[in-house]
Amino acid sequence: MMPNPPKLLAKSKRQNREITLQEHLLDTEQAAELIFRLDGRWGRNWCRFFQIACEQQKFLLNLRVAALFHDIGKANEDFYAAVTTAGFKPQTLRHEHLSALVLCLPEVRTWLSKNSALDVDIITAAVLSHHLKASRSQTTQKNGKVYRWCHTHSVKTSVELYLQHPEVTAVLERIANIAGLNKEKIPELPKTPWRARSLWEQAYKQGTQAAGQFGHKIRDDRQRRSLLIAVKAGLIVADAAASGLVREGHNIQAWIEDVVHSQPIEYDNIAEAILNPRAEQIAKRTKQPFTLHRFQEQMAQQSAKALLLAACGAGKTFGAWKWAETQSRNYEIGKVIFLYPTRGTATEGFRDYVGWAPEADAALVTGTARYELEAMAVNPSEAIDDKDFQADERLFALGFWSRRYFSATVDQFLSFMEHSYQSLCLLPVLADSAVIIDEVHSFDLKMFDSLVSFLENFDIPVLCMTATLPPNRKEQLKKAGLQVYPTEADREFLPDLEEQENHPRYHLKPVTNFDAAFDKAISAYRQGDRVLWVVNTVDRCLAIAQKLQTALKTDVLTYHSRFRLGDRQKVHAKTVEAFAFHKDQVDRKPAIAVTTQVCEMSLDLDADVLITENAPIPSLVQRFGRANRHLARGREFRAMLYTYAPPSNLPYQKDELEVAVAFLRELSNSDVSQRQFAAALEHYVPPERDSDGSAPFLNSGYYATPGNFRDTDEFAVPCILDLDLPKVEAILNSAKKYEKEPFVINVPKQWADLSDSRPSWLPKYLGVATWEGHYSEERGFVTKPLEEVELG
């Protein structure tokens, strides 16, 4: 047996500073106690969120004990070598897997069970899964690794453990103190090295057996499951806080007191920060005094769990902020979070609303937020002018804890349901908030499953909203606890909304084929109209734009998903500007753009003529919502909607387009309102399977590995164009690695080089694509000569 080292280290040396294992375990316990203290708002809201208010003391005790145990497995020779010597040192076993093994020793379980408030299964589960790298099976993860508990690829067959070290003993004494356990009966941990056919193998067998039994028990014991996931998530949060704050030189107690235990949102904070300046901006743009619609006033009175269904352009977003204002008066909360399905819509939401707040209170949270904020600063809107919204990146997700108002992609906050680490670190923020989730019609089945499960299992003020929703989705959200607004009875008292939704703002006219649609586009643009053409694939988008540009001899905008992020941001801005609302007709210029599905969600585009390929009914209704959005050309004007059959069903299913044809046939050759489209959608859209309310976060028991929040798109791969490789390499060698984001582009998989011939410095998730002959900053990535693209 090897002698104990003088110190056990929890981390590698950083700037000549050592953090011992004992220090880190005590720091993590302190962070847990301070963040979730039961006389604080975050602690109370956390327990409300997880619906464990009756077990608050039990939660905090189990969390503190888990915090003290979570890294005790670092007391081994492999980990010590890894943090005390240069270079990579492989670990025979993951340290948290060893920590959980210690908790599976019979003498440890017996000792802890002397306090009936300690749930040893919950503590073991939290410890084993706190790095989200523990599975019950040999399943290979998407990064190619296997995280089965105690699985090893190492050729080593034995690992020396330092469980008799004075630091470990001191931690066990701390556990005895806080749990009221007999210090005289603290178990003596084994001196035996980890190896096969030892007491550790027996502990593993007992642990996996306990894990299986526990998994079955929590299926029928919802209260215990709630306590489990509150402790599991709480440990991840406390560990992240302890590690990050110490690493960056913060005093844990002072930082948490300042950031976590700040004042709640008070009576008029939201009006002062966001609603009043936004109302002034709208009044300036429309050149008339701003007044709330009756339905916006009534939105403020809706329940803490609501589903808003109102027409595109009706003013849902302003009404949603009024709802949040009421929730901040009914609940003691410190945050409002607005979630969108895409980065582009989240950025627009930030620009229009959240950005009005003081820079210390507002946050944009997307996968590319740092770049988006810097780009916005180059050409700032009135809301964000002369403000710096950047969070402290050194603290990662913790850098957002101090913010009050968020515009974010839904993945950033709800993917904790799939064990996303970033999302779990933001979970205390979510639990302290009122949350608004926009465009729920657009969620794929996997996202919608997570949404339903979220609504069913957590207690939080939440407003979902969209213009239209298939009946079975509406029913599922109602069963999950949302109250629909407005009801038919409500509409009797909402003349402004009724008038807006029933106003015949469109004239629908299917045309025979692509050539007929093309002629309509040419004619409309030459007459001075704004023409928006929406197609189902990028190739056809590019080919049609080229054909229009040749015919019109003018620039034709294209907007789709196959741009480098930096270029996509520019074409997004140009498209939004070309189709922006203008009160005075003299300011309303002709425009023409060809886009794909990216235009369907939350974009304030106002076209006079909208041409679209047939698509699933919900997509069609959203596309139609980009026309005559503000009645800017007067109440007698009707936007023309031209539809035609695409040359291929893809990317949709044949039956989806067949139903869409019937939907269009019913309303064709007539003036149509948004209410008529919504009613026809409810009649024609076929039902989809119901969500079963399950989610990995809820059902994984002892285990946890990251999953996918969205249905994965295996067709597209993130890449760097070959001509950009020198620039990206220089960026990755700098301190500003996020600056690579403008160069990332999603291309079809067959056009991405994912082989070992890629540069070794390039992150594994990025492929390489060819610029020459395929890419232009104005058009994006082309996969074949546009003359070969079939248009219909």
Side-chain angles (χ1 to χ4, degrees):
M1 184 177 73
M2 296 174 60
N4 285 335
K7 294 179 182 177
L8 296 176
L9 298 184
K11 315 281 181 183
S12 298
K13 276 188 180 181
R14 188 182 177 95
Q15 297 176 343
N16 292 321
R17 181 177 179 187
E18 293 180 337
I19 301 172
T20 68
L21 179 58
Q22 180 182 351
E23 287 172 336
H24 175 62
L25 294 177
L26 293 175
D27 285 345
T28 306
E29 186 227 340
Q30 181 191 29
E33 186 177 19
L34 292 172
I35 292 168
F36 300 110
R37 74 181 201 215
L38 301 179
D39 64 344
R41 189 182 73 248
W42 274 33
R44 292 192 300 270
N45 282 345
W46 187 264
C47 291
R48 168 180 54 78
F49 180 79
F50 284 97
Q51 302 181 77
I52 55 169
C54 61
E55 294 188 297
Q56 294 183 39
Q57 297 288 349
K58 186 174 182 179
F59 155 72
L60 192 53
L61 175 61
N62 280 269
L63 174 58
R64 291 172 67 191
V65 171
L68 290 164
F69 265 114
H70 82 284
D71 275 356
I72 213 163
K74 287 181 175 178
N76 75 79
E77 61 167 318
D78 285 356
F79 190 86
Y80 185 77
V83 296
T84 57
T85 57
F88 173 74
K89 297 292 187 295
Q91 305 290 293
T92 305
L93 287 181
R94 291 194 58 82
H95 69 267
E96 73 272 22
H97 291 197
L98 280 170
S99 300
L101 274 189
V102 171
L103 280 158
C104 293
L105 293 167
E107 58 269 35
V108 174
R109 294 178 78 89
T110 299
W111 178 58
L112 293 174
S113 65
K114 297 301 181 183
N115 184 336
S116 60
L118 293 179
D119 191 319
V120 183
D121 283 314
I122 286 178
I123 294 168
T124 307
V127 168
L128 176 62
S129 63
H130 77 271
H131 281 300
L132 307 175
K133 293 179 179 179
S135 65
R136 64 172 59 87
S137 65
Q138 199 80 357
T139 306
T140 302
Q141 302 302 305
K142 56 187 177 182
N143 63 3
K145 295 187 177 181
V146 175
Y147 293 132
R148 181 172 62 82
W149 188 9
C150 287
H151 173 85
T152 178
H153 287 297
S154 174
V155 295
K156 286 184 67 173
T157 59
S158 177
V159 181
E160 290 286 343
L161 307 177
Y162 304 135
L163 298 176
Q164 288 73 42
H165 196 282
E167 291 188 35
V168 175
T169 302
V171 170
L172 293 177
E173 289 174 352
R174 174 63 179 167
I175 292 169
N177 280 336
I178 68 171
L181 298 171
N182 190 336
K183 284 187 180 181
E184 302 301 321
K185 295 188 177 181
I186 293 175
E188 182 178 351
L189 299 182
K191 300 176 182 178
T192 307
W194 174 87
R195 59 173 174 255
R197 293 181 295 281
S198 69
L199 60 86
W200 295 110
E201 184 172 303
Q202 187 61 32
Y204 171 70
K205 289 179 180 177
Q206 291 173 343
T208 54
Q209 183 180 13
Q213 293 170 347
F214 181 62
H216 287 295
K217 288 176 183 176
I218 60 172
R219 290 177 191 172
D220 302 318
D221 189 342
R222 182 164 177 163
Q223 190 63 28
R224 194 177 182 200
R225 186 187 71 176
S226 295
L227 182 62
L228 165 71
I229 57 179
V231 173
K232 286 175 74 171
L235 178 57
I236 291 171
V237 169
D239 185 34
S243 298
L245 295 177
V246 170
R247 182 186 66 242
E248 297 305 324
H250 294 283
N251 177 280
I252 292 176
Q253 183 170 357
W255 190 91
I256 290 174
E257 185 63 34
D258 181 52
V259 170
V260 171
H261 302 299
S262 59
Q263 291 297 309
I265 294 175
E266 296 179 343
Y267 188 85
D268 55 357
N269 287 166
I270 293 176
E272 292 175 353
I274 293 173
L275 291 173
N276 293 346
R278 174 60 174 164
E280 291 174 11
Q281 183 193 42
I282 292 172
K284 188 184 299 183
R285 186 185 69 174
T286 59
K287 299 181 180 180
Q288 57 189 31
F290 176 83
T291 55
L292 283 172
H293 296 301
R294 174 67 175 162
F295 102 94
Q296 291 173 321
E297 294 174 343
Q298 290 299 304
M299 277 183 65
Q301 309 307 316
Q302 299 312 303
S303 70
K305 292 204 169 200
L307 171 62
L308 171 63
L309 298 174
C312 296
K316 294 190 292 293
T317 303
F318 201 100
W321 280 99
K322 291 294 293 182
W323 172 86
E325 185 178 46
T326 299
Q327 301 313 308
S328 72
R329 297 167 183 172
N330 295 340
Y331 289 80
E332 188 186 22
I333 57 175
K335 322 286 182 188
V336 176
I337 301 172
F338 218 117
L339 299 180
Y340 296 89
T342 67
R343 289 179 300 191
T345 51
T347 302
E348 291 298 315
F350 182 86
R351 192 192 305 271
D352 290 344
Y353 284 88
V354 172
W356 287 107
E359 59 193 68
D361 289 342
L364 173 66
V365 190
T366 70
T368 55
R370 177 67 187 257
Y371 171 70
E372 302 283 1
L373 289 169
E374 290 196 351
M376 271 192 265
V378 174
N379 184 25
S381 65
E382 183 182 356
I384 65 174
D385 194 18
D386 201 28
K387 295 179 183 178
D388 180 5
F389 296 100
Q390 300 290 1
D392 186 347
E393 288 194 328
R394 296 168 299 174
L395 290 174
F396 301 101
L398 275 65
F400 292 110
W401 281 14
S402 63
R403 305 303 173 96
R404 287 190 162 200
Y405 309 112
F406 294 79
S407 182
T409 50
V410 66
D411 314 56
Q412 297 293 324
F413 281 92
L414 294 195
S415 59
F416 77 91
M417 302 294 286
E418 289 283 340
H419 288 134
S420 159
Y421 181 76
Q422 163 95 355
S423 182
L424 283 163
C425 290
L426 288 171
L427 199 51
V429 173
L430 182 64
D432 188 39
S433 77
V435 61
I436 299 137
I437 308 174
D438 199 9
E439 304 288 12
V440 294
H441 76 278
S442 69
F443 285 21
D444 62 41
L445 277 172
K446 199 162 182 24
M447 294 169 69
F448 195 74
D449 286 346
S450 290
L451 174 62
V452 170
S453 183
F454 171 72
L455 295 171
E456 289 178 342
N457 290 283
F458 301 101
D459 184 357
I460 181 174
V462 58
L463 171 68
C464 294
M465 61 186 201
T466 188
T468 55
L469 199 62
N472 73 310
R473 286 202 166 189
K474 185 195 300 186
E475 288 305 311
Q476 287 186 76
L477 294 181
K478 287 168 64 177
K479 288 178 182 177
L482 300 190
Q483 296 183 19
V484 176
Y485 177 78
T487 64
E488 289 304 315
D490 292 326
R491 290 180 180 278
E492 295 182 21
F493 304 98
L494 301 172
D496 52 349
L497 182 64
E498 281 292 282
E499 195 282 331
Q500 183 175 19
E501 292 191 340
N502 284 307
H503 181 74
R505 64 175 69 187
Y506 316 112
H507 187 87
L508 175 63
K509 187 174 181 60
V511 295
T512 53
N513 52 33
F514 164 79
D515 289 335
F518 187 82
D519 290 342
K520 297 291 185 184
I522 296 291
S523 175
Y525 179 77
R526 286 174 173 164
Q527 291 173 16
D529 287 333
R530 294 169 156 190
V531 181
L532 184 65
W533 193 327
V534 190
V535 296
N536 302 337
T537 71
V538 176
D539 285 343
R540 291 202 293 275
C541 171
L542 295 168
I544 292 171
Q546 177 175 278
K547 190 175 177 70
L548 285 170
Q549 189 155 309
T550 300
L552 291 170
K553 296 181 173 53
T554 190
D555 289 337
V556 176
L557 295 168
T558 53
Y559 184 30
H560 54 77
S561 60
R562 213 186 288 164
F563 282 98
R564 294 183 303 183
L565 177 61
D567 296 330
R568 178 170 174 171
Q569 188 180 64
K570 294 172 186 175
V571 299
H572 173 99
K574 287 181 181 179
T575 305
V576 170
E577 175 58 29
F579 289 84
F581 169 82
H582 290 289
K583 180 69 175 176
D584 295 333
Q585 289 302 305
V586 68
D587 297 322
R588 194 177 175 91
K589 307 298 183 183
I592 188 163
V594 188
T595 78
T596 61
Q597 297 90 331
V598 297
C599 79
E600 291 176 13
M601 291 176 288
S602 297
L603 292 186
D604 194 4
L605 306 180
D606 192 15
D608 304 317
V609 174
L610 188 134
I611 302 169
T612 176
E613 295 179 338
N614 294 347
I617 297 170
S619 293
L620 286 174
V621 174
Q622 290 297 319
R623 294 176 189 187
F624 296 158
R626 308 308 120 190
N628 200 14
R629 191 172 175 86
H630 302 288
L631 305 181
R633 293 183 63 173
R635 302 190 60 77
E636 301 306 313
F637 176 75
R638 304 290 182 264
M640 293 300 302
L641 308 178
Y642 298 112
T643 64
Y644 67 99
S648 166
N649 298 321
L650 296 176
Y652 305 115
Q653 300 297 317
K654 181 180 179 182
D655 58 341
E656 290 181 294
L657 299 193
E658 288 175 345
V659 172
V661 170
F663 163 83
L664 293 168
R665 186 182 301 119
E666 177 177 318
L667 299 169
S668 64
N669 298 309
S670 63
D671 291 352
V672 189
S673 67
Q674 289 201 326
R675 174 65 64 80
Q676 287 174 286
F677 278 137
L681 178 147
E682 292 194 4
H683 177 71
Y684 282 101
V685 169
E688 63 188 16
R689 64 156 178 81
D690 284 350
S691 170
D692 63 4
S694 65
F697 180 66
L698 299 172
N699 304 324
S700 293
Y702 268 39
Y703 305 105
T705 54
N708 293 313
F709 181 65
R710 297 174 185 254
D711 287 329
T712 56
D713 180 8
E714 298 296 340
F715 179 72
V717 176
C719 290
I720 301 295
L721 295 170
D722 52 5
L723 295 187
D724 288 331
L725 288 173
K727 297 176 187 175
V728 173
E729 182 178 17
I731 290 169
L732 292 177
N733 287 327
S734 74
K736 297 184 176 181
K737 293 179 173 54
Y738 67 88
E739 291 185 348
K740 75 178 186 305
E741 297 299 340
F743 299 98
V744 177
I745 180 174
N746 288 325
V747 305
K749 193 170 185 177
Q750 63 268 37
W751 296 96
D753 178 7
L754 300 171
S755 69
D756 293 338
S757 64
R758 296 177 313 125
S760 59
W761 50 263
L762 196 63
K764 291 183 179 179
Y765 71 91
L766 289 173
V768 176
T770 302
W771 180 308
E772 185 68 30
H774 292 281
Y775 192 75
S776 79
E777 295 174 351
E778 295 76 25
R779 288 288 183 255
F781 194 86
V782 180
T783 60
K784 59 182 177 181
L786 297 181
E787 296 77 12
E788 298 177 8
V789 177
E790 185 180 0
L791 300 178

